[in-house]
């Protein structure tokens, strides 16, 4: 694959004729753009904000088969999830997705539940063992205490494997893949007007800080705007499909040195729903809450009650860690668009997706789904697009050839590499620059940027005083890496760089001095003047202050003693 223009290039003020106009730059839209580009369809994707700025960077960072659907008898969803999880893990994004083991502890009073769960996990685990050789043995008393001394004593536990991903990084890599195949990818681009006439969509787009509009004539429009799908339908002048909004809040704690590499499943002290405690870089993610939401989709915050629920649940299961409110380093919350389902509580709603096809108006709407299944959703969506295009010119739109179908399902996202290539590149760069860069820095770059890592390393070596170019957050990010991201992945605002090109907003202890230093790195590449640097720093600080307010709860709640847990 050959890299072409940088991500997010601008369009000139003339009319563009395309096969597909994709609205929405989250993981759903990104996957659809990749699929369409691989099939040779002329494609434009636009997002009114930054790529992945909605739900796609506010997930639990998990790529999972959906184990919790087994007791509900939703076997098709589980098999679909496991299949797509393994594709991401082994073929499409092995540099961004890694295996993660989960531990589910039980008490004697829940012995029957343990047997039932163990039986379900045995089937779930058999798929994992058959595909990867990773087993899921149960854990008992002494063995459990030896491996997890920081967990409150339980007599037994079950284990299973799923996977973890850098969610925003995955979105950007999928978008880069689409652009390398000649798709046009635009962030901060708004749909101002749209009308359907003469079997075409006539759409007017405008870009932030641009003094002209863009006219696009699209043979098919795809609404992949997630929670904003009803608003997008209104702009298009078509009936909106019904959606449920489910808010998921997460708590970020510092990663205690004692806490191992495995995720642990616990229960909420309030309503006994399942929660996950997930190691993520320098943090522990505790979540997620699940509640209906009807507020501002651009200002979703964890509430004090949610933070207190997650924090107290963590303390009850891990009393020896002596967690205090000072260990809380942040929160984040997103809204999932859920296809309406009858009779289920919020925590039992499935993440199934639906693809609605309006052939008369050449509109395809994608609702629901999850991070894990984005590729399958994309394939089904473009299958629907091709069926519309075949009705117009049957001879020019044959069925997707098997070889192309294999690329859709297995081709690695740009600029990633498969595991042997990653290992070889890491080994070569570490040997070549053994005395000049730390192994951890090189491995970090190869893991995130694959074949682009070598160019970043060469820039670091060529920079004066390269050993001092770390941004000093006890993280491996350097000024050269940040400059690369600004240059190649169309950072428009500082928050784009801190939240979605990197996770520094969530992982680093950002203060005003560090924020300004990073803004000045971006300014050099993006030609910001001092006034623009000031504005960007103010936006980041305002965002951080809003997040701080969401984790404030009363001294009484923070100081009240931790009661004995209601064990799983």
């Amino acid at each position: 694959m050959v890299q072409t223009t940088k991500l997010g290039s601008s369009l000139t003020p003339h009319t563009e004729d395309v096969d597909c106009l994709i609205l929405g730059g989250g993981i759903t839209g990104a996957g659809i753009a990749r699929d369409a580009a691989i099939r040779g369809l002329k494609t434009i994707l636009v997002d009114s904000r930054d790529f992945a700025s909605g739900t796609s960077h506010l997930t639990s960072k998990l790529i999972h088969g959906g184990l919790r659907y087994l007791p509900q008898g939703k076997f098709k969803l589980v098999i679909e999830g496991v299949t797509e999880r393994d594709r991401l893990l082994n073929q499409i994004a092995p540099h961004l997705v890694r295996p993660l083991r989960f531990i589910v502890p039980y008490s004697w009073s829940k012995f029957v539940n343990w047997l039932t769960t163990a039986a379900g996990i045995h089937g779930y685990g058999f798929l994992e063992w058959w595909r990867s050789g990773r087993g899921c043995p149960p854990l008992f008393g002494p063995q459990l205490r030896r491996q997890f001394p920081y967990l409150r004593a339980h007599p037994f536990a079950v284990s299973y494997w799923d996977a973890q991903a850098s969610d925003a990084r995955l979105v950007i890599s999928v978008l880069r893949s689409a652009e390398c195949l000649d798709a046009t990818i635009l962030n901060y681009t708004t749909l101002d007007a749209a009308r359907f006439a003469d079997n075409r969509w006539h759409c007017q787009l405008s870009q932030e800080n641009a003094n002209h509009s863009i006219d696009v004539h699209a043979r098919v429009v795809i609404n992949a705007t997630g929670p904003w799908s009803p608003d997008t339908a209104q702009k298009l002048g078509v009936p909106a499909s019904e959606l449920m909004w489910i808010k998921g809040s997460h708590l970020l704690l510092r990663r205690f040195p004692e806490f191992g590499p495995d995720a642990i499943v616990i229960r909420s002290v309030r309503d006994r729903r399942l929660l996950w405690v997930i190691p993520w870089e320098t943090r522990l993610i505790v979540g997620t809450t699940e509640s209906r939401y009807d507020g501002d989709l651009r200002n979703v915050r964890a509430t004090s009650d949610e933070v207190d629920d997650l924090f107290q649940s963590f303390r009850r299961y891990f009393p020896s860690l002596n967690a205090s409110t000072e260990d809380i380093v942040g929160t984040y919350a997103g809204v999932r668009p859920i296809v309406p389902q009858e009779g289920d509580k919020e925590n039992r709603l499935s993440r199934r997706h639906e693809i609605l096809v309006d052939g008369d108006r050449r509109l395809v709407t994608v609702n629901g789904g999850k991070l894990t299944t984005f590729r399958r959703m994309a394939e089904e969506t473009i299958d629907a697009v091709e069926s519309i295009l075949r009705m117009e010119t049957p001879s020019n739109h044959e069925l997707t050839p098997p070889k192309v179908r294999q690329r859709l399902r297995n081709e690695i996202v740009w600029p990633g590499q498969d595991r042997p290539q990653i290992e070889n590149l890491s080994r070569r760069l570490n040997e070549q620059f053994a005395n000049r860069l730390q192994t951890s820095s090189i491995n970090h770059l190869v893991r995130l940027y694959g074949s682009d890592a070598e160019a970043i390393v060469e820039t670091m070596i060529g920079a004066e005083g390269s050993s001092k170019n770390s941004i000093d957050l006890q993280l491996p990010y350097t000024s050269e890496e940040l400059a690369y991201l600004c240059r190649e992945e169309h950072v428009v605002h500082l928050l784009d760089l801190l939240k979605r090109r990197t996770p520094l907003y969530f992982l680093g202890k950002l203060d005003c001095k560090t924020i300004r230093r990073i803004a000045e790195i971006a300014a050099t590449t993006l030609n910001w003047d001092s006034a623009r640097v000031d504005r960007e720093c103010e936006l980041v600080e305002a965002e951080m202050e809003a997040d701080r307010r969401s984790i404030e709860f009363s001294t009484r709640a923070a100081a009240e003693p931790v009661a004995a847990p209601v064990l799983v």
Side-chain angles (χ1 to χ4, degrees):
M1 188 184 291
V2 179
Q3 187 178 11
T4 55
T5 57
K6 73 178 181 178
L7 186 63
S9 54
S10 299
L11 284 179
T12 53
H14 66 273
T15 300
E16 289 280 338
D17 293 304
V18 299
D19 295 313
C20 300
L21 172 61
I22 302 168
L23 306 176
I27 190 61
T28 302
I32 294 168
R34 170 185 175 270
D35 192 296
I38 288 176
R39 300 197 207 196
L41 299 177
K42 188 174 182 181
T43 301
I44 292 178
L45 176 146
V46 301
D47 195 291
S48 62
R49 300 291 183 96
D50 188 29
F51 307 121
S53 61
T55 309
S56 293
H57 81 292
L58 299 168
T59 74
S60 299
K61 323 298 180 192
L62 296 179
I63 301 294
H64 62 96
L67 175 64
R68 71 190 181 108
Y69 302 140
L70 277 179
Q72 302 173 30
K74 298 173 182 176
F75 303 115
K76 183 175 180 291
L77 275 178
V78 175
I79 293 171
E80 177 184 293
V82 169
T83 301
E84 293 303 316
R85 178 200 67 188
D86 289 350
R87 279 207 175 102
L88 286 168
L89 190 61
N90 299 315
Q91 281 92 36
I92 294 177
H95 59 306
L96 297 176
V97 181
R98 67 174 188 86
L100 180 65
R101 187 171 72 145
F102 287 75
I103 306 299
V104 188
Y106 283 88
S107 66
W108 282 117
S109 64
K110 301 298 179 181
F111 181 71
V112 174
N113 297 42
W114 175 80
L115 287 177
T116 304
T117 305
I121 287 179
H122 182 73
Y124 191 81
F126 177 77
L127 290 173
E128 179 65 24
W129 172 83
W130 181 65
R131 294 170 188 241
S132 69
R134 285 184 287 267
C136 303
L139 301 169
F140 297 96
Q143 180 190 20
L144 182 59
R145 288 191 291 273
R146 185 168 57 252
Q147 290 190 32
F148 304 96
Y150 45 88
L151 174 66
R152 186 182 290 273
H154 291 72
F156 35 74
V158 294
S159 66
Y160 67 95
W161 287 89
D162 264 325
Q164 185 175 50
S166 173
D167 48 10
R169 188 79 240 143
L170 181 60
V171 175
I172 298 300
S173 291
V174 174
L175 286 168
R176 292 189 68 176
S177 299
E179 190 168 46
C180 287
L181 294 165
D182 295 328
T184 300
I185 309 296
L186 302 169
N187 58 352
Y188 294 100
T189 302
T190 303
L191 174 67
D192 294 327
R195 63 185 179 86
F196 183 72
D198 303 321
N199 281 334
R200 293 288 186 277
W201 280 97
H202 302 261
C203 300
Q204 189 176 74
L205 311 176
S206 62
Q207 290 186 282
E208 184 178 297
N209 299 324
N211 57 7
H212 63 264
S213 60
I214 307 158
D215 291 323
V216 174
H217 294 171
R219 299 169 72 189
V220 178
V221 167
I222 301 169
N223 179 358
T225 51
W228 290 271
S229 180
D231 293 341
T232 304
Q234 186 175 12
K235 277 192 173 184
L236 294 170
V238 300
S241 52
E242 187 180 353
L243 286 179
M244 299 169 63
W245 291 346
I246 301 297
K247 176 186 172 187
S249 295
H250 300 78
L251 181 66
L252 288 174
L253 301 173
R254 73 176 182 89
R255 187 164 177 176
F256 297 86
E258 303 94 324
F259 207 99
D262 300 311
I264 297 180
V265 181
I266 65 175
R267 285 195 182 268
S268 164
V269 296
R270 293 194 178 177
D271 58 16
R272 292 184 53 75
R273 73 185 182 281
L274 293 178
L275 300 173
W276 285 260
V277 181
I278 305 163
W280 178 51
E281 305 287 348
T282 61
R283 301 290 183 246
L284 291 176
I285 299 174
V286 185
T288 174
T289 64
E290 292 180 287
S291 59
R292 300 192 185 234
Y293 185 76
D294 59 2
D296 182 357
L297 290 174
R298 289 294 181 189
N299 189 32
V300 185
R301 309 279 178 185
T303 66
S304 297
D305 284 344
E306 290 170 333
V307 170
D308 188 53
D309 175 26
L310 296 173
F311 182 60
Q312 297 297 351
S313 300
F314 178 86
R315 290 211 302 172
R316 287 192 176 186
Y317 276 81
F318 305 99
S320 66
L321 295 179
N322 296 316
S324 72
T325 53
E326 293 181 358
D327 296 311
I328 299 175
V329 293
T331 65
Y332 64 90
V335 172
R336 309 179 191 97
I338 302 295
V339 175
Q341 300 159 45
E342 293 294 333
D344 276 341
K345 295 181 179 179
E346 286 85 349
N347 63 355
R348 289 178 56 85
L349 295 171
S350 77
R351 303 295 182 260
R352 68 179 177 87
H353 64 272
E354 66 177 11
I355 296 169
L356 307 176
V357 181
D358 185 341
D360 293 336
R361 281 181 285 202
R362 298 170 174 267
L363 173 67
V364 180
T365 301
V366 188
N367 291 326
K370 60 181 181 179
L371 187 68
T372 306
T373 56
F374 81 87
R375 190 219 59 83
R376 184 185 181 98
M377 294 163 62
E379 184 175 357
E380 293 176 7
T381 299
I382 299 302
D383 282 348
V385 169
E386 285 193 328
S387 70
I388 293 173
L389 297 180
R390 279 198 301 274
M391 288 190 293
E392 177 183 344
T393 52
S395 60
N396 293 334
H397 290 281
E398 303 298 330
L399 291 172
T400 299
K403 287 186 178 179
V404 175
R405 189 75 66 177
Q406 285 301 311
R407 287 183 65 195
L408 302 178
R409 296 174 179 179
N410 297 300
E411 185 168 281
I412 197 165
V413 294
W414 180 262
Q417 297 180 317
D418 61 30
R419 286 198 173 85
Q421 289 174 317
I422 291 171
E423 292 169 2
N424 290 337
L425 180 59
S426 293
R427 187 182 306 111
R428 180 168 62 80
L429 293 178
N430 278 305
E431 291 172 356
Q432 186 176 351
F433 301 107
N435 298 322
R436 308 185 70 178
L437 289 174
Q438 293 183 351
T439 298
S440 59
S441 296
I442 291 175
N443 292 344
H444 159 81
L445 293 172
V446 172
R447 177 173 60 88
L448 291 183
Y449 310 114
S451 56
D452 274 9
E454 188 164 8
I456 303 173
V457 168
E458 289 172 354
T459 304
M460 292 168 65
I461 294 300
E464 184 69 26
S466 61
S467 62
K468 298 181 180 179
N469 287 342
S470 167
I471 55 174
D472 195 27
L473 289 171
Q474 297 180 330
L475 294 166
Y477 293 88
T478 63
S479 57
E480 291 78 22
E481 180 180 348
L482 299 183
Y484 157 83
L485 294 171
C486 292
R487 183 173 60 251
E488 298 295 335
E489 297 184 353
H490 193 45
V491 172
V492 175
H493 294 289
L494 187 56
L495 276 169
D496 304 341
L497 180 62
L498 294 175
K499 276 192 165 186
R500 291 172 286 275
R501 305 308 181 276
T502 73
L504 288 172
Y505 184 93
F506 304 103
L507 299 182
K509 289 187 176 181
L510 295 175
D511 55 24
C512 294
K513 181 179 178 181
T514 305
I515 292 169
R516 179 160 290 275
R517 182 180 176 195
I518 296 173
E520 289 169 352
I521 293 169
T524 301
T525 304
L526 301 175
N527 298 317
W528 292 347
D529 58 21
S530 59
R532 176 68 182 271
V533 169
D534 289 343
R535 287 198 303 273
E536 295 295 333
C537 290
E538 288 168 2
L539 287 172
V540 174
E541 290 162 12
E543 181 81 356
M544 292 174 65
E545 179 57 31
D547 284 338
R548 284 192 196 102
R549 286 197 298 269
S550 76
I551 64 174
E552 291 176 354
F553 47 88
S554 69
T555 304
R556 182 191 63 78
E560 78 178 2
V562 181
V566 180
L567 296 175
V568 179

